[in-house]
Amino acid sequence: MVKKVLIADDEPNIVLSLEFLMEQFGFEVRVAGNGGEALELVESFAPDLVLLDVMMPVKNGYEVCQHIKSAPSLHHIKVILLSAKGRDVEVAKGIEMGADAYVTKPFSTRDLAAKVRDMLGE
Amino acid sequence: MTPGRGFWRTATGVSAFVVALILAAGLVVWLDLAPAERTQLAALFPAPRVGLLVLFIIALIGGIFGIVRRWFRQSVEPVHRLAEATQLIAASNPDHRVPLEGSEETRQAANAVNALAQRRSELERQVEETVRAAKASVEAEKNRLAALMSELQQSVLVCNREGRILLYNSAARALLGGGGEPGTDVAPVGLGRSVFGVIDRSLILHALDSIEQQLERGAEAGAQFVTTTPAGGLLRVQAAPVLAPESQGEAEPTPSRSLAGFVLLLSDVTEAVESDSKRVALMQALSESTRGALASIRAAIETVIDYPSMDPSRRERFTGVIRDEAVRLSQRLDAVSRDFSEQLESQWPLEEMRGEDLIALARNRIDKRLALPTKLEEVDPQVWVKVDSLSVAQGITYLAARLKDEFQIREVRFRLTRGERHGQLDMLWHGAPLSLETVFAWENDPFQMGGEASPLTWKQVVARHAGEAWYRRDLPAQTAYFRLLLPLAAETRSARAAKAGSRPEFYDFDLFKLAAANTALDERLLSELTYTVFDTETTGLDPSQGDEIIAIGAARIVNGRLLSEETFEQLIDPRRPLSQASIAVHGITPERLVGQPTIAAVLPRFRRFVEDTVLVGHNAAFDMRFLQLKEAQTGVVLDQPLLDTLLLSAVIHPNQESHSLEAIAQRLGVEIVDRHSALGDAVATGEVFLRMLPLLAAAGIQTLGEARAAARRTFYARVSY
């Protein structure tokens, strides 16, 4: 069965690369431009993993992550937080919100891809 | 007993005694007579003769009254006055002398008292001389401390355990007082005032708690916190303990000595904190936006590299992303360095100084160490720069030394102009041009000049100022110069330091000894209360007919000292014409009142000045009547306890005829300066009041409550205005 990945980031220039990469690995991909859209797509698209930017309009990544991880029907969804905020406290907050990984921008696409495939058991 | 009552009692007594004696003699004679003799005697005294006898007795009584009156005038009243004057000499004015009046014996007694007073004065002077000599070194020490405090740029407050200020310096007053001219502004910082009025009580108490804990552990004690100033700035407060002196004869020092008070060092950190937080915000924003852009670039370029067989149109989108993000990143960095260069500059501590002074420093050095003549060209005196003056002077001297040693330059000149955001300091010379290699070497070699060496280089000096420096030739003028760009400073500096000249009454260490201020006011000793002595000048004598206050003057008495540094003096526009009669008294002409504030604006400030003090005035009922009539209009109610020196004078000197301020001042040996100016009279009243305190104490009046009760009892208290 094809695994589904949701990319939530308001920055189209990074989305372009992420979307291409995920497609290259054969995942089904959807893109959300802000936190609100991300929450809707989490319900309707039912992804296996979310690549979640922290600083987004409407709802930030922390809130979206918290929502996913606190809902019994959703908390199996893997969440990787992507963030330009790289201080220890911010990483700690992300992990506390239930994220499965916290990746600081800029990141290596190969490492990120490896991490995604690992989490999805591929 | 007043002489009046004494006189009546004595005269009546003597008369009654004489009349009784005559009647008794008559009665004895009458009883001794035989009945026939009695009839004869009765016949001798028909009714008209009895009337004559009664008249004779009345005349006798009158005569007795006259004699007693004369005796009182000559012998008793002078003795009463002698007693009062002697008490006055004993208690408060040793230079007062008893008038020679009355009988010969009284005069002799007066002479003896005067001789005694003279002898006492001489002895007192001798003792004073000895004490003065003994105190000189202590005083010198105190003055050195006070001088040190007043010159310090750092603000210092010393307080006793209850938080009463017993020392402050001018920097502290400037920082907490909100500026304004001394005398007209009500400074919240003053001797004896509570520090809690300017700094949050709970913060100080918390700091003291932690200091006490440290003391108990035997550690070095100190605490610090940040708070806000009344003007909204940020204040860093460092607190340190003042320990009570160790008690005598204690064999071992106790591990924890008790706190007698505390010292607060205050610094205004508003600018530093603002600049720090700006810098932090800037760094965060910069790092976040850079991370975002780099993430897009890196992901795009890695994708392009990892998937070389990608179709051209897609590849073009990726390279487009890379270009866009790179452009955005450069724009962002440009904006940051343009708008926030100050925040990114080095943090070497720089002082603000006049550029002219910096040049003078450098010229002095060049003259002393190199004996190279220097001259000034155009120097803008308005240019203030932020510099590390020593390193700049060293650098300039070093460059001049190399010019002299290697190129035999015989003179250098200086020029200082204002650039757009920098001061331009030029050192010029005539003669040989330098090669770029030479300049490069000079800039990077450690300083060495006239026997002085330093690891610093010219390049480092420039970097320390976040400035720039370069070498240029001016061909037409046949000159060459080094130019140094230095950051400009604000020009409003050092006015404050210059203004805060005098130093005397900024401290009063005796406040350490004062007990907690929780005793009810009436029960507190007169000697330990804080007073405001005040006086007003008015347009006339009748407030109910529309006369108004035109001046208020006041001074504070703290711990038995009249503080001439902490005064209140304000002219007031009465909004009505002045009468010639009143101008003749106070000398304030209508022109001087133009533009002065109205009473409604002045009274709230006066209220703050007198807060927590006992009011003292001369004939204060008069001033209070004016002030009370303004209560409704201004909402300012002066409800603190009030003492009147006129009434107190009547309490201590009931036999003196005049209780005018002049008369009392003369009696008590106080010289009035500036009579009939509100402040002058207030100060005179204060000095008179201070001299009255020992006399009141001698009369058994020790507390505020006793003084108020005694004043109420005096005759003058019944006079109403």
Side-chain angles (χ1 to χ4, degrees):
Chain A
M1 197 181 134
V2 177
K3 299 277 176 155
K4 297 195 274 188
V5 173
L6 171 64
I7 300 169
D9 199 319
D10 60 327
E11 192 52 72
N13 283 341
I14 191 84
V15 170
L16 179 71
S17 300
L18 293 175
E19 194 180 5
F20 178 80
L21 273 174
M22 295 301 120
E23 280 168 357
Q24 290 302 310
F25 290 115
F27 300 131
E28 191 183 342
V29 182
R30 286 278 197 290
V31 176
N34 62 50
E37 273 179 46
L39 279 181
E40 282 168 25
L41 281 169
V42 164
E43 301 279 353
S44 59
F45 174 58
D48 299 291
L49 182 143
V50 186
L51 290 173
L52 191 56
D53 183 32
V54 169
M55 286 180 293
M56 280 188 300
V58 186
K59 273 194 157 52
N60 68 34
Y62 292 132
E63 293 171 279
V64 175
C65 177
Q66 202 174 13
H67 179 88
I68 292 172
K69 290 299 182 179
S70 59
S73 59
L74 302 175
H75 84 273
H76 65 279
I77 299 174
K78 303 284 184 195
V79 174
I80 299 180
L81 279 175
L82 303 176
S83 173
K85 289 176 181 286
R87 296 188 301 137
D88 292 351
V89 284
E90 289 146 357
V91 176
K93 180 174 175 184
I95 300 301
E96 191 67 26
M97 294 298 150
D100 297 279
Y102 189 105
V103 174
T104 307
K105 289 180 179 178
F107 47 81
S108 150
T109 47
R110 287 181 199 175
D111 290 352
L112 181 70
K115 200 167 265 175
V116 170
R117 295 174 71 187
D118 189 40
M119 280 190 188
L120 293 178
E122 298 219 339
Chain B
M1 188 173 75
T2 65
R5 278 166 61 198
F7 162 72
W8 288 109
R9 200 178 295 170
T10 311
T12 316
V14 172
S15 310
F17 179 69
V18 171
V19 172
L21 212 59
I22 293 170
L23 290 180
L27 189 65
V28 168
V29 171
W30 181 262
L31 290 177
D32 195 40
L33 292 179
E37 286 169 324
R38 286 184 186 172
T39 322
Q40 274 178 350
L41 194 59
L44 278 176
F45 288 97
R49 284 200 186 144
V50 171
L52 210 60
L53 208 60
V54 170
L55 267 182
F56 166 76
I57 289 176
I58 288 173
L60 185 68
I61 293 175
I64 290 171
F65 265 69
I67 290 166
V68 171
R69 173 102 194 100
R70 198 178 142 77
W71 176 68
F72 252 86
R73 280 254 171 87
Q74 289 214 329
S75 301
V76 178
E77 286 175 8
V79 172
H80 276 297
R81 279 198 286 274
L82 173 68
E84 263 175 22
T86 310
Q87 219 169 33
L88 183 66
I89 293 170
S92 83
N93 183 7
D95 294 326
H96 188 76
R97 289 295 173 264
V98 179
L100 299 179
E101 56 174 355
S103 66
E104 186 51 36
E105 292 77 8
T106 318
R107 283 163 190 270
Q108 276 176 11
N111 264 325
V113 168
N114 283 345
L116 190 64
Q118 185 64 31
R119 180 77 188 121
R120 182 191 120 149
S121 291
E122 280 162 18
L123 281 176
E124 221 163 44
R125 261 187 278 282
Q126 279 174 18
V127 171
E128 257 171 36
E129 205 51 52
T130 319
V131 171
R132 193 175 304 144
K135 271 172 69 181
S137 68
V138 178
E139 203 52 39
E141 197 103 326
K142 260 187 169 178
N143 282 339
R144 271 200 291 277
L145 177 63
L148 177 72
M149 291 296 176
S150 70
E151 304 308 327
L152 270 183
Q153 289 286 325
Q154 173 125 42
S155 308
V156 183
L157 293 176
V158 181
C159 305
N160 67 9
R161 192 72 181 77
E162 282 73 47
R164 290 225 253 165
I165 298 170
L166 45 94
L167 176 149
Y168 63 89
N169 63 0
S170 39
R173 183 140 85 168
L175 183 61
L176 298 170
E181 283 185 24
T184 58
D185 201 51
V186 183
V189 174
L191 292 186
R193 287 201 191 277
S194 173
V195 71
F196 303 131
V198 281
I199 297 172
D200 189 338
R201 181 188 201 99
S202 56
L203 287 171
I204 293 181
L205 293 184
H206 181 72
L208 291 182
D209 278 351
S210 89
I211 283 175
E212 276 180 332
Q213 280 169 14
Q214 292 165 26
L215 285 174
E216 268 168 36
R217 286 200 307 271
E220 283 280 308
Q224 66 168 313
F225 55 88
V226 173
T227 182
T228 50
T229 63
L234 283 173
L235 209 59
R236 183 177 28 242
V237 182
Q238 290 165 281
V242 176
L243 299 177
E246 278 171 87
S247 43
Q248 298 275 314
E250 220 165 320
E252 279 175 36
T254 40
S256 64
R257 285 160 59 195
S258 64
L259 267 186
F262 51 93
V263 181
L264 299 179
L265 296 178
L266 314 168
S267 29
D268 187 346
V269 291
T270 318
E271 241 174 72
V273 167
E274 250 171 38
S275 131
D276 269 4
S277 53
K278 258 193 205 163
R279 189 196 305 265
V280 166
L282 181 65
M283 288 307 295
Q284 270 179 5
L286 195 59
S287 95
E288 282 168 16
S289 64
T290 310
R291 279 174 184 282
L294 278 178
S296 299
I297 291 172
R298 184 169 172 185
I301 195 71
E302 283 178 359
T303 309
V304 170
I305 290 168
D306 286 349
Y307 299 91
S309 53
M310 182 189 305
D311 64 85
S313 68
R314 195 183 277 276
R315 178 189 297 269
E316 205 168 292
R317 285 179 64 197
F318 278 105
T319 50
V321 164
I322 295 170
R323 191 194 53 240
D324 289 352
E325 290 289 353
V327 168
R328 249 173 60 187
L329 199 52
S330 350
Q331 283 168 346
R332 171 90 187 134
L333 284 176
D334 281 348
V336 165
S337 47
R338 188 177 60 241
D339 299 340
F340 299 101
S341 62
E342 273 173 34
Q343 263 72 39
L344 298 172
E345 275 168 9
S346 84
Q347 285 301 290
W348 193 269
L350 302 178
E351 58 195 299
E352 302 192 348
M353 73 187 292
R354 199 186 288 277
E356 233 176 346
D357 296 341
L358 178 64
I359 294 175
L361 201 69
R363 288 180 70 195
N364 190 13
R365 248 185 135 76
I366 292 173
D367 178 50
K368 283 223 175 91
R369 287 167 206 258
L370 312 177
L372 181 67
T374 58
K375 274 196 181 145
L376 289 183
E377 287 198 354
E378 177 200 353
V379 171
D380 183 346
Q382 303 299 320
V383 173
W384 282 67
V385 286
K386 280 201 257 188
V387 287
D388 170 26
S389 57
L390 175 65
S391 71
V392 170
Q394 275 180 331
I396 290 173
T397 313
Y398 158 78
L399 292 177
R402 294 201 79 158
L403 283 171
K404 183 189 174 209
D405 296 346
E406 293 168 37
F407 291 87
Q408 288 75 46
I409 300 301
R410 289 199 299 270
E411 181 194 85
V412 289
R413 295 170 177 231
F414 291 96
R415 183 165 64 193
L416 178 68
T417 49
R418 178 195 291 271
E420 201 175 313
R421 296 180 61 166
H422 286 90
Q424 297 183 346
L425 174 59
D426 297 341
M427 180 167 75
L428 309 89
W429 67 91
H430 280 287
L434 306 181
S435 70
L436 288 181
E437 290 78 15
T438 309
V439 173
F440 181 80
W442 288 11
E443 282 176 348
N444 288 287
D445 286 350
F447 293 161
Q448 202 136 32
M449 62 230 139
E452 187 185 353
S454 152
L456 263 184
T457 67
W458 180 244
K459 241 197 156 74
Q460 285 169 340
V461 171
V462 174
R464 190 171 278 190
H465 294 83
E468 262 308 335
W470 60 84
Y471 159 73
R472 288 282 290 173
R473 282 183 72 195
D474 186 352
L475 273 178
Q478 289 286 304
T479 55
Y481 59 86
F482 276 112
R483 170 164 292 178
L484 174 61
L485 296 190
L486 291 168
L488 284 173
E491 286 156 37
T492 52
R493 275 309 171 121
S494 78
R496 191 180 79 186
K499 203 171 121 190
S502 61
R503 62 184 66 135
E505 287 160 7
F506 291 170
Y507 64 90
D508 187 344
F509 293 116
D510 293 338
L511 287 170
F512 265 132
K513 299 176 201 146
L514 286 187
N518 48 14
T519 329
L521 270 181
D522 267 347
E523 281 159 34
R524 303 230 352 237
L525 291 175
L526 287 171
S527 55
E528 66 171 28
L529 285 167
T530 300
Y531 301 92
T532 304
V533 281
F534 76 107
D535 185 49
T536 61
E537 299 299 332
T538 59
T539 58
L541 299 177
D542 199 344
S544 58
Q545 293 302 307
D547 278 324
E548 295 280 350
I549 297 175
I550 55 169
I552 300 181
R556 280 155 50 79
I557 294 178
V558 179
N559 209 17
R561 281 199 327 173
L562 187 66
L563 304 179
S564 62
E565 287 288 336
E566 295 175 18
T567 55
F568 183 96
E569 189 172 24
Q570 182 65 57
L571 291 176
I572 296 159
D573 181 356
R575 299 282 165 97
R576 57 160 287 161
L578 301 182
S579 70
Q580 281 304 319
S582 79
I583 295 175
V585 172
H586 48 62
I588 299 172
T589 52
E591 301 84 70
R592 284 179 59 200
L593 301 179
V594 174
Q596 297 292 347
T598 61
I599 190 80
V602 172
L603 276 187
R605 277 179 40 222
F606 184 63
R607 174 84 183 83
R608 280 201 298 283
F609 185 80
V610 305
E611 203 149 53
D612 295 333
T613 66
V614 174
L615 286 174
V616 178
H618 187 77
N619 193 4
F622 176 78
D623 306 276
M624 289 312 285
R625 182 97 181 88
F626 277 88
L627 293 170
Q628 278 158 1
L629 279 175
K630 292 291 162 202
E631 277 179 9
Q633 181 193 336
T634 61
V636 174
V637 180
L638 295 169
D639 53 0
Q640 38 266 94
L642 175 74
L643 288 176
D644 189 333
T645 44
L646 188 151
L647 300 181
L648 293 176
S649 174
V651 168
I652 46 184
H653 293 140
N655 297 309
Q656 304 295 334
E657 276 164 20
S658 172
H659 296 288
S660 71
L661 188 54
E662 280 93 348
I664 304 178
Q666 201 197 355
R667 268 204 291 283
L668 298 174
V670 170
E671 193 186 339
I672 306 187
V673 181
D674 207 7
R675 174 77 171 119
H676 289 306
S677 84
L679 183 58
D681 283 359
V683 167
T685 306
E687 286 179 358
V688 159
F689 177 69
L690 284 176
R691 299 237 175 156
M692 282 180 172
L693 290 179
L695 287 168
L696 288 167
I701 297 168
Q702 306 262 14
T703 64
L704 178 64
E706 289 163 0
R708 291 168 70 190
R712 265 196 302 274
R713 280 194 302 268
T714 61
F715 169 74
Y716 288 94
R718 289 196 290 271
V719 176
S720 78
Y721 285 87

mmCIF file with all atom_site columns, all heavy atoms in Angstrom, chain B residues 75-88:
data_model
loop_
_atom_site.group_PDB
_atom_site.id
_atom_site.type_symbol
_atom_site.label_atom_id
_atom_site.label_alt_id
_atom_site.label_comp_id
_atom_site.label_asym_id
_atom_site.label_entity_id
_atom_site.label_seq_id
_atom_site.pdbx_PDB_ins_code
_atom_site.Cartn_x
_atom_site.Cartn_y
_atom_site.Cartn_z
_atom_site.occupancy
_atom_site.B_iso_or_equiv
_atom_site.pdbx_formal_charge
_atom_site.auth_seq_id
_atom_site.auth_comp_id
_atom_site.auth_asym_id
_atom_site.auth_atom_id
_atom_site.pdbx_PDB_model_num
ATOM 1   N N   . SER B 1 75 ? 11.608 95.327 92.616 1.00 0.00 ? 75 SER B N   1
ATOM 2   C CA  . SER B 1 75 ? 12.336 94.175 93.151 1.00 0.00 ? 75 SER B CA  1
ATOM 3   C C   . SER B 1 75 ? 11.844 92.830 92.630 1.00 0.00 ? 75 SER B C   1
ATOM 4   O O   . SER B 1 75 ? 12.637 91.937 92.381 1.00 0.00 ? 75 SER B O   1
ATOM 5   C CB  . SER B 1 75 ? 12.249 94.178 94.684 1.00 0.00 ? 75 SER B CB  1
ATOM 6   O OG  . SER B 1 75 ? 12.788 95.373 95.162 1.00 0.00 ? 75 SER B OG  1
ATOM 7   N N   . VAL B 1 76 ? 10.504 92.670 92.467 1.00 0.00 ? 76 VAL B N   1
ATOM 8   C CA  . VAL B 1 76 ? 10.016 91.320 92.133 1.00 0.00 ? 76 VAL B CA  1
ATOM 9   C C   . VAL B 1 76 ? 10.056 91.048 90.635 1.00 0.00 ? 76 VAL B C   1
ATOM 10  O O   . VAL B 1 76 ? 10.629 90.061 90.183 1.00 0.00 ? 76 VAL B O   1
ATOM 11  C CB  . VAL B 1 76 ? 8.599  91.116 92.689 1.00 0.00 ? 76 VAL B CB  1
ATOM 12  C CG1 . VAL B 1 76 ? 8.080  89.746 92.296 1.00 0.00 ? 76 VAL B CG1 1
ATOM 13  C CG2 . VAL B 1 76 ? 8.615  91.277 94.197 1.00 0.00 ? 76 VAL B CG2 1
ATOM 14  N N   . GLU B 1 77 ? 9.465  91.989 89.854 1.00 0.00 ? 77 GLU B N   1
ATOM 15  C CA  . GLU B 1 77 ? 9.425  91.744 88.400 1.00 0.00 ? 77 GLU B CA  1
ATOM 16  C C   . GLU B 1 77 ? 10.820 91.616 87.801 1.00 0.00 ? 77 GLU B C   1
ATOM 17  O O   . GLU B 1 77 ? 11.058 90.713 86.994 1.00 0.00 ? 77 GLU B O   1
ATOM 18  C CB  . GLU B 1 77 ? 8.611  92.842 87.703 1.00 0.00 ? 77 GLU B CB  1
ATOM 19  C CG  . GLU B 1 77 ? 7.122  92.653 87.964 1.00 0.00 ? 77 GLU B CG  1
ATOM 20  C CD  . GLU B 1 77 ? 6.267  93.763 87.403 1.00 0.00 ? 77 GLU B CD  1
ATOM 21  O OE1 . GLU B 1 77 ? 6.826  94.613 86.670 1.00 0.00 ? 77 GLU B OE1 1
ATOM 22  O OE2 . GLU B 1 77 ? 5.068  93.775 87.694 1.00 0.00 ? 77 GLU B OE2 1
ATOM 23  N N   . PRO B 1 78 ? 11.743 92.505 88.170 1.00 0.00 ? 78 PRO B N   1
ATOM 24  C CA  . PRO B 1 78 ? 13.100 92.317 87.645 1.00 0.00 ? 78 PRO B CA  1
ATOM 25  C C   . PRO B 1 78 ? 13.672 90.957 88.012 1.00 0.00 ? 78 PRO B C   1
ATOM 26  O O   . PRO B 1 78 ? 14.388 90.350 87.219 1.00 0.00 ? 78 PRO B O   1
ATOM 27  C CB  . PRO B 1 78 ? 13.900 93.443 88.299 1.00 0.00 ? 78 PRO B CB  1
ATOM 28  C CG  . PRO B 1 78 ? 12.891 94.492 88.583 1.00 0.00 ? 78 PRO B CG  1
ATOM 29  C CD  . PRO B 1 78 ? 11.631 93.758 88.928 1.00 0.00 ? 78 PRO B CD  1
ATOM 30  N N   . VAL B 1 79 ? 13.301 90.452 89.179 1.00 0.00 ? 79 VAL B N   1
ATOM 31  C CA  . VAL B 1 79 ? 13.826 89.135 89.556 1.00 0.00 ? 79 VAL B CA  1
ATOM 32  C C   . VAL B 1 79 ? 13.214 88.056 88.665 1.00 0.00 ? 79 VAL B C   1
ATOM 33  O O   . VAL B 1 79 ? 13.894 87.142 88.209 1.00 0.00 ? 79 VAL B O   1
ATOM 34  C CB  . VAL B 1 79 ? 13.534 88.856 91.049 1.00 0.00 ? 79 VAL B CB  1
ATOM 35  C CG1 . VAL B 1 79 ? 13.898 87.407 91.389 1.00 0.00 ? 79 VAL B CG1 1
ATOM 36  C CG2 . VAL B 1 79 ? 14.323 89.817 91.924 1.00 0.00 ? 79 VAL B CG2 1
ATOM 37  N N   . HIS B 1 80 ? 11.902 88.204 88.361 1.00 0.00 ? 80 HIS B N   1
ATOM 38  C CA  . HIS B 1 80 ? 11.271 87.248 87.425 1.00 0.00 ? 80 HIS B CA  1
ATOM 39  C C   . HIS B 1 80 ? 11.968 87.275 86.085 1.00 0.00 ? 80 HIS B C   1
ATOM 40  O O   . HIS B 1 80 ? 12.291 86.245 85.500 1.00 0.00 ? 80 HIS B O   1
ATOM 41  C CB  . HIS B 1 80 ? 9.788  87.608 87.222 1.00 0.00 ? 80 HIS B CB  1
ATOM 42  C CG  . HIS B 1 80 ? 8.910  87.031 88.296 1.00 0.00 ? 80 HIS B CG  1
ATOM 43  N ND1 . HIS B 1 80 ? 8.774  85.686 88.489 1.00 0.00 ? 80 HIS B ND1 1
ATOM 44  C CD2 . HIS B 1 80 ? 8.127  87.631 89.226 1.00 0.00 ? 80 HIS B CD2 1
ATOM 45  C CE1 . HIS B 1 80 ? 7.939  85.456 89.497 1.00 0.00 ? 80 HIS B CE1 1
ATOM 46  N NE2 . HIS B 1 80 ? 7.540  86.639 89.969 1.00 0.00 ? 80 HIS B NE2 1
ATOM 47  N N   . ARG B 1 81 ? 12.167 88.534 85.592 1.00 0.00 ? 81 ARG B N   1
ATOM 48  C CA  . ARG B 1 81 ? 12.823 88.642 84.287 1.00 0.00 ? 81 ARG B CA  1
ATOM 49  C C   . ARG B 1 81 ? 14.242 88.097 84.349 1.00 0.00 ? 81 ARG B C   1
ATOM 50  O O   . ARG B 1 81 ? 14.722 87.471 83.417 1.00 0.00 ? 81 ARG B O   1
ATOM 51  C CB  . ARG B 1 81 ? 12.807 90.097 83.817 1.00 0.00 ? 81 ARG B CB  1
ATOM 52  C CG  . ARG B 1 81 ? 11.469 90.478 83.189 1.00 0.00 ? 81 ARG B CG  1
ATOM 53  C CD  . ARG B 1 81 ? 11.584 91.722 82.363 1.00 0.00 ? 81 ARG B CD  1
ATOM 54  N NE  . ARG B 1 81 ? 11.711 92.905 83.197 1.00 0.00 ? 81 ARG B NE  1
ATOM 55  C CZ  . ARG B 1 81 ? 10.652 93.566 83.698 1.00 0.00 ? 81 ARG B CZ  1
ATOM 56  N NH1 . ARG B 1 81 ? 9.438  93.164 83.428 1.00 0.00 ? 81 ARG B NH1 1
ATOM 57  N NH2 . ARG B 1 81 ? 10.823 94.616 84.449 1.00 0.00 ? 81 ARG B NH2 1
ATOM 58  N N   . LEU B 1 82 ? 14.868 88.368 85.509 1.00 0.00 ? 82 LEU B N   1
ATOM 59  C CA  . LEU B 1 82 ? 16.215 87.852 85.705 1.00 0.00 ? 82 LEU B CA  1
ATOM 60  C C   . LEU B 1 82 ? 16.206 86.326 85.602 1.00 0.00 ? 82 LEU B C   1
ATOM 61  O O   . LEU B 1 82 ? 17.055 85.719 84.949 1.00 0.00 ? 82 LEU B O   1
ATOM 62  C CB  . LEU B 1 82 ? 16.723 88.300 87.091 1.00 0.00 ? 82 LEU B CB  1
ATOM 63  C CG  . LEU B 1 82 ? 18.066 87.723 87.544 1.00 0.00 ? 82 LEU B CG  1
ATOM 64  C CD1 . LEU B 1 82 ? 19.193 88.257 86.684 1.00 0.00 ? 82 LEU B CD1 1
ATOM 65  C CD2 . LEU B 1 82 ? 18.332 88.079 88.998 1.00 0.00 ? 82 LEU B CD2 1
ATOM 66  N N   . ALA B 1 83 ? 15.184 85.720 86.206 1.00 0.00 ? 83 ALA B N   1
ATOM 67  C CA  . ALA B 1 83 ? 15.090 84.260 86.180 1.00 0.00 ? 83 ALA B CA  1
ATOM 68  C C   . ALA B 1 83 ? 14.905 83.763 84.755 1.00 0.00 ? 83 ALA B C   1
ATOM 69  O O   . ALA B 1 83 ? 15.567 82.827 84.299 1.00 0.00 ? 83 ALA B O   1
ATOM 70  C CB  . ALA B 1 83 ? 13.930 83.806 87.060 1.00 0.00 ? 83 ALA B CB  1
ATOM 71  N N   . GLU B 1 84 ? 13.995 84.417 83.992 1.00 0.00 ? 84 GLU B N   1
ATOM 72  C CA  . GLU B 1 84 ? 13.757 83.994 82.599 1.00 0.00 ? 84 GLU B CA  1
ATOM 73  C C   . GLU B 1 84 ? 15.004 84.132 81.763 1.00 0.00 ? 84 GLU B C   1
ATOM 74  O O   . GLU B 1 84 ? 15.377 83.238 80.996 1.00 0.00 ? 84 GLU B O   1
ATOM 75  C CB  . GLU B 1 84 ? 12.654 84.855 81.975 1.00 0.00 ? 84 GLU B CB  1
ATOM 76  C CG  . GLU B 1 84 ? 11.304 84.193 82.045 1.00 0.00 ? 84 GLU B CG  1
ATOM 77  C CD  . GLU B 1 84 ? 10.214 85.118 81.531 1.00 0.00 ? 84 GLU B CD  1
ATOM 78  O OE1 . GLU B 1 84 ? 10.541 86.049 80.755 1.00 0.00 ? 84 GLU B OE1 1
ATOM 79  O OE2 . GLU B 1 84 ? 9.056  84.904 81.907 1.00 0.00 ? 84 GLU B OE2 1
ATOM 80  N N   . ALA B 1 85 ? 15.651 85.306 81.945 1.00 0.00 ? 85 ALA B N   1
ATOM 81  C CA  . ALA B 1 85 ? 16.843 85.555 81.146 1.00 0.00 ? 85 ALA B CA  1
ATOM 82  C C   . ALA B 1 85 ? 17.937 84.559 81.500 1.00 0.00 ? 85 ALA B C   1
ATOM 83  O O   . ALA B 1 85 ? 18.650 84.062 80.636 1.00 0.00 ? 85 ALA B O   1
ATOM 84  C CB  . ALA B 1 85 ? 17.328 86.985 81.366 1.00 0.00 ? 85 ALA B CB  1
ATOM 85  N N   . THR B 1 86 ? 18.025 84.236 82.782 1.00 0.00 ? 86 THR B N   1
ATOM 86  C CA  . THR B 1 86 ? 19.049 83.272 83.204 1.00 0.00 ? 86 THR B CA  1
ATOM 87  C C   . THR B 1 86 ? 18.776 81.907 82.587 1.00 0.00 ? 86 THR B C   1
ATOM 88  O O   . THR B 1 86 ? 19.673 81.225 82.101 1.00 0.00 ? 86 THR B O   1
ATOM 89  C CB  . THR B 1 86 ? 19.054 83.156 84.741 1.00 0.00 ? 86 THR B CB  1
ATOM 90  O OG1 . THR B 1 86 ? 19.113 84.463 85.286 1.00 0.00 ? 86 THR B OG1 1
ATOM 91  C CG2 . THR B 1 86 ? 20.247 82.350 85.223 1.00 0.00 ? 86 THR B CG2 1
ATOM 92  N N   . GLN B 1 87 ? 17.501 81.547 82.556 1.00 0.00 ? 87 GLN B N   1
ATOM 93  C CA  . GLN B 1 87 ? 17.119 80.273 81.952 1.00 0.00 ? 87 GLN B CA  1
ATOM 94  C C   . GLN B 1 87 ? 17.452 80.255 80.456 1.00 0.00 ? 87 GLN B C   1
ATOM 95  O O   . GLN B 1 87 ? 17.947 79.264 79.921 1.00 0.00 ? 87 GLN B O   1
ATOM 96  C CB  . GLN B 1 87 ? 15.615 80.078 82.126 1.00 0.00 ? 87 GLN B CB  1
ATOM 97  C CG  . GLN B 1 87 ? 15.254 78.656 82.437 1.00 0.00 ? 87 GLN B CG  1
ATOM 98  C CD  . GLN B 1 87 ? 13.805 78.577 82.852 1.00 0.00 ? 87 GLN B CD  1
ATOM 99  O OE1 . GLN B 1 87 ? 12.978 79.345 82.370 1.00 0.00 ? 87 GLN B OE1 1
ATOM 100 N NE2 . GLN B 1 87 ? 13.498 77.679 83.750 1.00 0.00 ? 87 GLN B NE2 1
ATOM 101 N N   . LEU B 1 88 ? 17.169 81.394 79.820 1.00 0.00 ? 88 LEU B N   1
ATOM 102 C CA  . LEU B 1 88 ? 17.462 81.535 78.401 1.00 0.00 ? 88 LEU B CA  1
ATOM 103 C C   . LEU B 1 88 ? 18.953 81.329 78.147 1.00 0.00 ? 88 LEU B C   1
ATOM 104 O O   . LEU B 1 88 ? 19.365 80.597 77.240 1.00 0.00 ? 88 LEU B O   1
ATOM 105 C CB  . LEU B 1 88 ? 17.032 82.928 77.944 1.00 0.00 ? 88 LEU B CB  1
ATOM 106 C CG  . LEU B 1 88 ? 17.175 83.257 76.473 1.00 0.00 ? 88 LEU B CG  1
ATOM 107 C CD1 . LEU B 1 88 ? 16.238 82.409 75.646 1.00 0.00 ? 88 LEU B CD1 1
ATOM 108 C CD2 . LEU B 1 88 ? 16.873 84.725 76.228 1.00 0.00 ? 88 LEU B CD2 1
#
